[in-house]
Amino acid sequence: MLIPCLSFSQNEVKPNIIFVMADDLGYGDLGCYGQTNTKMPNLDRMASEGIKFTNHYSGSTVCMPSRASLLTGYHQGNASVRGNPVWTNSGKPVNLEPNEITVANELKGAGYKTAVIGKWGLSEGNTNQNMPSAHGFDYFLGYKKHSHAHHYYWDTLYRNNEPYILKDNNYGLKQGKYTHDVFINEALHYIEKEQDHPFFLYLALTIPHLELTVPEDSKEPYQNLDWPKRKMNTKGGYKNDAEGNTTYAGMISRMDRDMGRLFDKLKALGIDESTIVIFTSDNGPEYESKDLFFNSNGPFKGGKRDLYEGGIRIPFIARYPGKIEAGKESDHLSAFWDFLPTACELAGVTPSNKDINGISFVSELFGNQKKQQKHDFLYWEFNERQGPIQAIRKDDWKLVWKLEGDPELYNLSVDQAESNNLAIKNPEKLQDMLALLKDVRTEHSEFPLETRALAYKKRKKNKSNNTNIKKTF
């Protein structure tokens, strides 16, 4: 049974909350974070009119667990979802727990209309359990499974709990409606429909996740710039366009164009100043990282599927005219699991769950740094073929711990590229971080701290044993 939010200020105006999340967009992919190749005037203007965070982190370095942390307020040591499908002890996907409270539940209890448009990716498997409607969302249009979201011309989306067919779409031939456009148009329609009362819109875009493809009009500004060519695999599971660099830039520019459309809609409806818009990414880049054309991870090492900074430190911009001072930059240490308590405070309620790991950063948003509560540490784990890998950050120190391999200790204040392992030179600090790591997580039967290869062997052995048992009857 869901516990309703507890109100602490019913008289304050409740802002509309729009949370826009790109997919696999790197820290260095935006102009306001250093990108020079791609044109993105609307996101750059958003940063100039709001606040840009330089120390914000995703929930994980891959999609599904990152989104779970965002919605529930738990870091990966306590979350129910700690890995993408298949990478579990049993080989079966782990979704949100039935009736697990999300930020949508909290805001709905505070009188908000709630919607998710785009990529849900938390109802894996063959049932319709754990759909957005089971976790506080009044409305949903988008991809149910994250693997379907790898295709921009997929023919079957979901509207609420029912299939929504794009009858002319053929993902193999890349024909029909570009699903990103479908989501943007639906988001603009939703904003107009719900403009007269508080709403929470979680707009989970799929740009610029592989596959790399975009309509030609978005590539045109980059076609004759003498850029290096990057040939893409066009015959695999991802139906990529033939050349990668112009496609990648075109995808991000199309997303930027549509952020401009979103802001224009808010202004046209007269609700711009009563709406906070947040823009971020679910994890680091996959298309490329350092030393390639876009340098998508900026000054950091690694990318998607790494727990180095390039895999988890992400762009994060918030705009709220009249409430957030324009042109601000914050180095406040924060992460996805902070969004739930932040949204609750904006809505004038307190979170139902008292044991979440998130801390509201409303004070930081509104320039009250002295009142801003800070984290003792941030924690991540990664449960795939390379893992489990754990990472913990406390102040400027970062520990990356692998079950197989030497510990890695970095001082990010002088080494943000994580190039100088200080584990041997700083044994006392290493022991402090290891002691912290020891007590940071709860056990989870599907995500034990043992190698994924060992889990795979166990599944294979259990499958063999089950087959033998069946044969005896």
Side-chain angles (χ1 to χ4, degrees):
M1 182 176 181
L2 299 180
I3 305 171
C5 295
L6 303 175
S7 174
F8 64 81
S9 178
Q10 296 288 353
N11 296 322
E12 294 184 11
V13 176
K14 300 179 188 296
N16 305 312
I17 301 171
I18 301 176
F19 190 98
V20 184
M21 184 161 66
D23 199 340
D24 291 0
L25 184 80
Y27 184 95
D29 273 327
L30 297 185
C32 54
Y33 286 88
Q35 182 60 234
T36 58
N37 291 313
T38 310
K39 300 177 179 66
M40 52 198 81
N42 295 299
L43 285 166
D44 288 348
R45 187 173 70 250
M46 181 184 179
S48 71
E49 295 175 349
I51 184 171
K52 177 182 77 172
F53 282 63
T54 59
N55 253 327
H56 191 81
Y57 289 88
S58 61
S60 177
T61 187
V62 290
C63 157
M64 194 171 174
S66 190
R67 292 158 198 267
S69 283
L70 173 77
L71 292 175
T72 65
Y74 290 104
H75 65 52
Q76 286 293 289
N78 295 319
S80 56
V81 180
R82 304 187 191 185
N84 275 345
V86 179
W87 299 107
T88 59
N89 199 34
S90 67
K92 299 177 182 179
V94 172
N95 296 305
L96 296 177
E97 297 287 346
N99 294 324
E100 187 169 355
I101 295 174
T102 71
V103 62
N105 291 123
E106 303 284 29
L107 294 178
K108 187 173 182 178
Y112 277 68
K113 296 290 187 179
T114 58
V116 53
I117 296 173
K119 180 177 176 179
W120 174 241
L122 288 166
S123 184
E124 300 294 326
N126 297 320
T127 72
N128 277 0
Q129 294 179 351
N130 290 291
M131 295 292 278
S133 60
H135 295 286
F137 287 99
D138 300 316
Y139 181 72
F140 168 51
L141 178 70
Y143 295 102
K144 172 187 171 185
K145 298 182 180 181
H146 82 283
S147 60
H148 297 169
H150 297 169
H151 302 292
Y152 289 86
Y153 293 91
W154 193 251
D155 63 357
T156 305
L157 306 175
Y158 273 75
R159 173 167 276 161
N160 298 322
N161 294 338
E162 299 299 326
Y164 177 76
I165 308 299
L166 300 174
K167 62 179 182 178
D168 296 324
N169 276 36
N170 185 316
Y171 80 93
L173 298 176
K174 292 185 289 189
Q175 293 177 346
K177 294 180 179 179
Y178 192 63
T179 53
H180 167 83
D181 295 350
V182 173
F183 299 145
I184 290 296
N185 291 333
E186 189 72 11
L188 297 179
H189 174 73
Y190 179 83
I191 291 169
E192 186 164 357
K193 178 184 175 184
E194 304 296 352
Q195 62 178 298
D196 293 330
H197 43 70
F199 63 83
F200 165 50
L201 171 60
Y202 170 34
L203 181 54
L205 303 176
T206 50
I207 286 177
H209 194 293
L210 298 173
E211 60 195 9
L212 289 194
T213 186
V214 72
E216 291 298 317
D217 64 310
S218 290
K219 299 180 189 178
E220 288 178 3
Y222 306 103
Q223 293 286 12
N224 300 307
L225 299 180
D226 197 28
W227 281 7
K229 304 296 184 183
R230 183 173 174 183
K231 185 177 180 181
M232 300 297 294
N233 180 5
T234 61
K235 296 182 179 180
Y238 293 126
K239 308 303 179 183
N240 299 306
D241 291 354
E243 199 285 308
N245 286 341
T246 56
T247 303
Y248 193 71
M251 293 173 79
I252 293 174
S253 286
R254 196 176 192 87
M255 177 174 63
D256 179 85
R257 177 202 71 181
D258 293 331
M259 288 299 296
R261 293 175 62 198
L262 186 150
F263 288 122
D264 288 346
K265 174 64 73 173
L266 295 176
K267 290 178 181 177
L269 296 174
I271 59 174
D272 186 47
E273 295 188 356
S274 58
T275 304
I276 181 170
V277 181
I278 293 171
F279 179 87
T280 188
S281 176
D282 64 342
N283 47 249
E286 181 170 33
Y287 172 63
E288 64 148 64
S289 54
K290 206 166 181 62
D291 298 327
L292 294 175
F293 184 63
F294 293 102
N295 195 24
S296 292
N297 58 358
F300 306 123
K301 179 168 72 174
K304 183 176 181 178
R305 298 185 182 87
D306 291 317
L307 290 185
Y308 299 118
E309 294 294 284
I312 53 177
R313 202 186 300 196
I314 50 175
F316 192 88
I317 308 167
R319 178 185 180 275
Y320 190 1
K323 300 293 192 302
I324 293 177
E325 182 182 347
K328 289 184 63 179
E329 183 173 305
S330 170
D331 64 356
H332 174 63
L333 196 60
S334 53
F336 265 18
W337 47 95
D338 294 330
F339 175 61
L340 184 151
T342 299
C344 282
E345 185 171 352
L346 289 168
V349 297
T350 57
S352 303
N353 286 340
K354 305 305 179 186
D355 61 346
I356 58 172
N357 302 117
I359 296 174
S360 170
F361 50 79
V362 167
S363 293
E364 187 71 19
L365 289 175
F366 293 168
N368 300 321
Q369 286 84 1
K370 292 182 179 180
K371 295 183 178 180
Q372 179 60 55
Q373 185 181 354
K374 300 182 184 300
H375 282 283
D376 291 332
F377 62 85
L378 299 178
Y379 172 79
W380 305 264
E381 62 184 56
F382 177 53
N383 293 283
E384 286 195 12
R385 191 189 311 276
Q386 307 95 316
I389 303 172
Q390 297 171 276
I392 193 164
R393 176 171 176 177
K394 182 175 176 59
D395 301 322
D396 291 324
W397 289 92
K398 169 98 171 281
L399 173 69
V400 179
W401 176 261
K402 303 176 182 178
L403 293 186
E404 299 177 356
D406 297 326
E408 301 175 38
L409 182 67
Y410 303 102
N411 185 338
L412 297 177
S413 67
V414 295
D415 181 26
Q416 62 180 355
E418 295 169 291
S419 59
N420 185 17
N421 186 357
L422 300 176
I424 294 177
K425 292 182 180 180
N426 290 267
E428 291 184 2
K429 176 59 70 173
L430 175 62
Q431 290 306 312
D432 289 344
M433 296 293 281
L434 288 172
L436 187 59
L437 187 68
K438 183 179 179 181
D439 296 323
V440 76
R441 75 188 300 270
T442 56
E443 294 301 320
H444 194 307
S445 61
E446 288 285 11
F447 301 102
L449 288 181
E450 58 185 37
T451 64
R452 296 299 99 190
L454 180 58
Y456 175 78
K457 289 179 180 179
K458 284 184 175 181
R459 292 200 303 270
K460 189 174 181 181
K461 182 179 179 181
N462 289 338
K463 184 177 180 181
S464 176
N465 289 340
N466 290 337
T467 301
N468 291 334
I469 290 172
K470 289 178 181 178
K471 288 180 179 180
T472 63
F473 287 89

